[in-house]
Amino acid sequence: MKNTELFSYTSEYLTRNGRPWFPVMGEFHYSRYPDSYWEESLYKMKACGVDVVSAYVIWIHHEEEEGEYLFSGCRDLHKFLVTAKKCGLLVFLRIGPWCHGEVRSGGFPDWLLEKDFVPRTNDESYLSCVKRYYERIFMEVKGLLHKDGGPVIGVQIENEYGHCGGLTGEEGEEHMRRLKRLAVGAGFDVPYYTATGWGGAVTGGMLPVLGGYCDAPWDPRITELEPSVNYVFTQERNDRNIGSDLGMGEGLTWPWDKFPYLTAELGGGIQVTRHRRPVAAAADIGAMTLTKLGCGANLLGYYMYHGGTNPHGKRSTLQESRESGYPNDLPEYSYDFNAPIREYGQISDTGLELKLYAMFLHDFGEAFCEMKTFIPEDSPQDPNDTVHLRSAVRRKGNSGYLFVNNYQRRKQMADHQEVTLNVRLPDGDISYEAQDIRNGDYFFYPFYLPVGEHAVLISASASPLCILHRTDGERYIFYGDREPHFRIEGDPGKKELIHISREDARHAWKMEFGTEEYLAVCNYPIVEEGGSCKVLFRTGETEELEIRVYPELPTVPRGFVKTGNEGIFTRYSQRISRNTPSCNLQKEEKQSSDEECRYRIELDYAEETEAEDVFLKLDYVGESLELFIDGKKEGDHFYTGQIWEIGLKRFGFPENVDITVHRLKRDMPVYLEQWPDLPEEGACRISRLTAEAEYKLFF
């Protein structure tokens, strides 16, 4: 079936059927996650607000041995694209040939590097290998491009070319053009062709995409880094810290005013290295996202959005390492990334945080795309400035949003008392009620926001979340922890302005029943899957599951009882009782040594478990640990001070799990944000172990 929907772009934004379009894109590496669980994970991404899934097609994962292609199991690209389409998601394929992605040799197979040519050059022998690879990939993609009714709307060529390796100048531009011609010749006929555009990278005339991370675990230093520029409002689009381990380009090689400001690598988290282990918190990513919106970004593309695990290799392990010629050592298996959705499919606090912006963009994004950025002269450009308040405005005419960020990762910002925020507009300034702005606050407020056809919200000291589209009038949902002070001009009619707390907004999920939209607030994720909504909850022996819904549902959901009202919300609850697995931790004294401690975990699932998953939660101290199932290494973790969770369903709910913890010593050349108290000899121990079962309940 041909697809008549049109995707394009202007110099300011992407378009869909000729209208401004602001999508949210999230990176998910299918070959780093079990194919049995792709569908549930893609539905989780969609529930968190992702519209487009981006994914590297990692060469070494598909052709580790020359001429022997592997497109089955977790490497089944065709199945992944079919699944994405089923879940209602669009796809951006990043086909390399070089990807980096913390993969062995940047994704190049060993055999390619053993050839007598230099990769990533215009050598015809190298390009013939790329041509053959592109053509083989397309065999899996054929029929699933957008023009054929499939989900694939875009292709990224190469990665950081001219910035991290490759040719520069006109030679580099020609190389990128050659690669694009090879991709098109192989059959990749898509609306969008992109190339990473930061740090001197060349783009071959393709749509440039940008990035930004809250820290740099690839930095060789094991000390605190300089404050990140990604928390100040600026017209500068280039993050010079990305890829600085592999080479440093300068500036941009393309005219920034000819292309929209699109991000493809906003760090949805950060992957730790052996020598440097920053922990990306939800606020780190949330404040960075808000700042990029204020700076003018018109695509939020997160890398990673879903964590994963490196697959087993035939000839070698598949992670980036110093042994393979890279400056960093990565975990052999774990690619968790502290992502919004973690290595074993857990929706994290970061996922809840980023959902705030995705929900806003789904309902307000079309008008938002057309709003230009204005940065006040007194808004500091130096991330070391922790005293002055940072702000920016995006507006079209008199309508727009004021952005304020008083957050800088790893820094204490000054508190500001009784601040009157002002916005300069063509037809006169607007002021908000005086308020205190504390260290760590970040928010955005609307001004002159149309509310239906006959009313305008002049200002509100609250952030817009979403619109509930209902036959009896729209509901505009705002959030924040201050008095909203709605100032309205005109008659909104049946349209209502609703204000909820920020915490409720983080746990809010939009649901559809029939033709009506509702807002549900629940402490557990609510995921729409195949036309039904399911709640993913973890439980002890007995617990009451509560969901608050606005407006009240026409009928009480099966299995629930209506238990009253709380403000605008109607409460529905269900008493649940589920089995909680028990776990027994035993130290294997005879197999332990001075440098490592070995443990066996025995699990008792009580009876045939109906759980979606069972998670082991390990609180440990050590340099790192390794996970073994039936004697085979299946996972690992570099210590950061966080509790490590292991999802057991992918291993068939084993009865025994073996863990090896390696000793952490005071003198190790490792950056930790917070070191544990260590005795002189160091430590390698599991301090606490619990097991939690996760269940689904349809609502």
Side-chain angles (χ1 to χ4, degrees):
M1 179 187 296
K2 299 295 182 182
N3 199 326
T4 58
E5 195 172 26
L6 298 176
F7 291 94
S8 188
Y9 66 92
T10 72
S11 62
E12 296 181 351
Y13 47 78
L14 302 176
T15 63
R16 190 172 188 173
N17 293 326
R19 304 183 70 88
W21 180 45
F22 197 130
V24 175
M25 184 167 73
E27 187 90 6
F28 179 25
H29 295 163
Y30 59 91
S31 57
R32 281 171 156 159
Y33 205 71
D35 59 300
S36 304
Y37 311 123
W38 285 343
E39 183 174 327
E40 66 180 43
S41 280
L42 289 170
Y43 274 125
K44 287 176 185 176
M45 292 178 71
K46 187 176 181 181
C48 289
V50 171
D51 307 291
V52 182
V53 177
S54 55
Y56 276 132
V57 183
I58 300 172
W59 194 342
I60 195 172
H61 288 186
H62 292 293
E63 194 186 4
E64 189 176 355
E65 297 182 349
E66 186 173 8
E68 296 184 15
Y69 293 99
L70 187 56
F71 285 96
S72 60
C74 71
R75 297 166 169 88
D76 192 338
L77 174 57
H78 182 87
K79 177 182 175 181
F80 178 73
L81 297 177
V82 170
T83 306
K85 179 180 179 180
K86 177 182 179 181
C87 295
L89 291 165
L90 299 169
V91 175
F92 234 103
L93 286 179
R94 294 163 35 122
I95 62 173
W98 189 82
C99 67
H100 191 198
E102 290 70 58
V103 184
R104 179 181 175 86
S105 304
F108 279 159
D110 290 4
W111 60 261
L112 186 77
L113 301 178
E114 293 165 2
K115 300 285 187 180
D116 59 359
F117 53 69
V118 179
R120 305 183 81 193
T121 67
N122 290 319
D123 186 289
E124 294 298 332
S125 297
Y126 166 67
L127 291 172
S128 70
C129 290
V130 174
K131 178 177 183 291
R132 186 168 64 250
Y133 173 57
Y134 279 179
E135 290 172 345
R136 184 59 186 86
I137 294 172
F138 186 73
M139 290 174 61
E140 304 298 316
V141 177
K142 187 175 182 180
L144 291 165
L145 299 180
H146 166 71
K147 68 185 182 68
D148 301 314
V152 181
I153 62 168
V155 164
Q156 179 183 301
I157 301 295
E158 251 281 354
N159 186 44
E160 301 177 317
Y161 192 82
H163 171 58
C164 291
L167 305 170
T168 59
E170 180 53 32
E171 278 189 309
E173 298 286 359
E174 175 56 22
H175 182 78
M176 292 295 285
R177 290 191 291 265
R178 287 285 302 273
L179 291 180
K180 180 185 174 183
R181 289 197 295 270
L182 290 177
V184 173
F188 288 100
D189 179 7
V190 292
Y192 298 118
Y193 299 94
T194 65
T196 46
W198 54 78
V202 293
T203 64
M206 289 175 278
L207 191 59
V209 291
L210 299 160
Y213 290 87
C214 68
D215 203 291
W218 51 82
D219 192 293
R221 290 171 290 177
I222 56 172
T223 56
E224 196 77 23
L225 297 185
E226 301 81 10
S228 170
V229 74
N230 291 309
Y231 296 96
V232 298
F233 297 106
T234 174
Q235 300 286 1
E236 171 66 57
R237 299 185 183 185
N238 186 37
D239 184 348
R240 299 184 179 185
N241 202 28
I242 303 180
S244 57
D245 56 330
L246 298 177
M248 201 66 220
E250 292 293 332
L252 302 178
T253 62
W254 42 272
W256 67 270
D257 57 338
K258 302 296 184 185
F259 296 99
Y261 182 7
L262 308 177
T263 67
E265 281 201 31
L266 279 185
I270 205 114
Q271 178 67 8
V272 299
T273 59
R274 187 173 294 280
H275 70 278
R276 185 168 186 83
R277 307 179 186 187
V279 177
D284 294 337
I285 312 305
M288 185 173 66
T289 295
L290 177 133
T291 303
K292 293 303 180 184
L293 289 175
C295 290
N298 271 339
L299 166 67
L300 292 178
Y302 294 101
Y303 186 102
M304 296 289 296
Y305 198 93
H306 195 307
T309 308
N310 289 326
H312 292 282
K314 290 182 178 180
R315 296 179 52 172
S316 65
T317 57
L318 298 177
Q319 86 282 19
E320 175 183 327
S321 67
R322 293 180 179 180
E323 184 181 1
S324 63
Y326 275 64
N328 312 303
D329 278 323
L330 276 292
E332 185 176 334
Y333 289 103
S334 177
Y335 200 61
D336 176 76
F337 222 86
N338 267 300
I341 301 178
R342 304 291 293 274
E343 179 177 5
Y344 293 96
Q346 316 98 300
I347 295 177
S348 70
D349 282 347
T350 302
L352 301 181
E353 179 74 18
L354 298 186
K355 182 167 57 65
L356 296 174
Y357 304 105
M359 292 177 75
F360 161 73
L361 292 168
H362 286 166
D363 286 335
F364 298 93
E366 183 174 322
F368 187 74
C369 279
E370 298 186 285
M371 295 177 177
K372 297 183 181 297
T373 291
F374 299 87
I375 301 174
E377 291 182 1
D378 60 354
S379 184
Q381 299 288 293
D382 183 356
N384 290 289
D385 186 339
T386 60
V387 175
H388 297 97
L389 198 59
R390 305 169 183 182
S391 66
V393 169
R394 282 190 68 165
R395 64 175 176 82
K396 181 181 180 183
N398 283 326
S399 179
Y401 301 88
L402 167 66
F403 291 83
V404 175
N405 179 34
N406 200 37
Y407 184 99
Q408 179 73 48
R409 173 176 151 79
R410 306 286 293 165
K411 291 292 181 181
Q412 180 80 18
M413 304 293 286
D415 292 327
H416 302 267
Q417 278 77 41
E418 289 294 302
V419 178
T420 300
L421 297 168
N422 298 291
V423 180
R424 303 184 103 182
L425 297 173
D427 296 339
D429 295 356
I430 189 170
S431 297
Y432 292 84
E433 287 74 9
Q435 65 181 67
D436 293 342
I437 301 176
R438 300 152 300 191
N439 166 57
D441 284 350
Y442 53 96
F443 54 85
F444 68 111
Y445 293 161
F447 53 87
Y448 287 101
L449 175 69
V451 182
E453 297 179 2
H454 306 293
V456 173
L457 179 62
I458 303 300
S459 66
S461 300
S463 301
L465 178 67
C466 65
I467 303 171
L468 298 183
H469 300 279
R470 299 182 56 81
T471 55
D472 61 347
E474 294 170 334
R475 271 67 159 179
Y476 288 74
I477 312 297
F478 295 81
Y479 65 93
D481 296 326
R482 302 180 176 93
E483 180 68 31
H485 297 293
F486 292 124
R487 293 168 55 198
I488 304 176
E489 186 178 272
D491 181 12
K494 293 184 177 180
K495 296 168 174 47
E496 296 182 34
L497 275 62
I498 306 297
H499 183 257
I500 63 177
S501 71
R502 195 180 195 281
E503 188 62 15
D504 277 352
R506 290 177 74 252
H507 292 280
W509 310 81
K510 194 191 274 195
M511 303 191 306
E512 265 187 52
F513 287 98
T515 59
E516 305 286 10
E517 290 186 338
Y518 297 83
L519 193 71
V521 176
C522 181
N523 287 335
Y524 299 103
I526 299 177
V527 178
E528 186 177 346
E529 184 176 303
S532 299
C533 290
K534 68 177 182 181
V535 185
L536 294 171
F537 66 94
R538 297 190 189 187
T539 181
E541 291 296 328
T542 308
E543 187 173 324
E544 189 152 80
L545 178 66
E546 181 180 271
I547 301 177
R548 292 175 288 147
V549 182
Y550 171 81
E552 183 176 345
L553 295 169
T555 59
V556 177
R558 186 172 62 181
F560 285 81
V561 294
K562 178 181 170 182
T563 55
N565 298 304
E566 184 178 319
I568 64 168
F569 292 101
T570 302
R571 292 199 309 263
Y572 303 90
S573 64
Q574 181 176 153
R575 193 76 172 169
I576 53 177
S577 180
R578 297 289 189 271
N579 295 318
T580 300
S582 62
C583 52
N584 178 45
L585 178 69
Q586 292 186 349
K587 184 177 178 181
E588 307 269 85
E589 297 285 356
K590 291 184 178 180
Q591 298 182 49
S592 299
S593 68
D594 291 341
E595 297 303 316
E596 63 184 35
C597 291
R598 298 191 181 187
Y599 295 88
R600 166 150 289 201
I601 300 170
E602 298 175 345
L603 290 136
D604 183 357
Y605 302 98
E607 57 186 56
E608 188 66 30
T609 182
E610 297 176 357
E612 284 283 283
D613 208 339
V614 172
F615 292 93
L616 285 180
K617 301 178 71 170
L618 281 79
D619 191 354
Y620 80 99
V621 178
E623 187 278 326
S624 60
L625 62 72
E626 297 172 284
L627 165 71
F628 296 89
I629 308 289
D630 294 329
K632 183 179 182 181
K633 185 175 178 179
E634 295 285 5
D636 49 11
H637 185 259
F638 286 177
Y639 175 80
T640 59
Q642 297 168 284
I643 292 175
W644 187 46
E645 283 196 351
I646 314 159
L648 296 177
K649 73 175 176 182
R650 70 169 63 174
F651 306 117
F653 298 110
E655 295 181 357
N656 298 299
V657 172
D658 294 307
I659 302 288
T660 298
V661 182
H662 299 281
R663 188 170 297 275
L664 177 65
K665 299 178 182 178
R666 294 178 185 177
D667 59 352
M668 284 184 166
V670 174
Y671 170 78
L672 293 171
E673 290 187 351
Q674 185 171 354
W675 277 78
D677 291 331
L678 291 176
E680 189 66 34
E681 69 274 14
C684 56
R685 65 176 183 271
I686 296 176
S687 307
R688 187 167 179 265
L689 171 70
T690 56
E692 292 182 351
E694 183 176 81
Y695 293 89
K696 66 179 177 183
L697 183 68
F698 286 98
F699 179 70

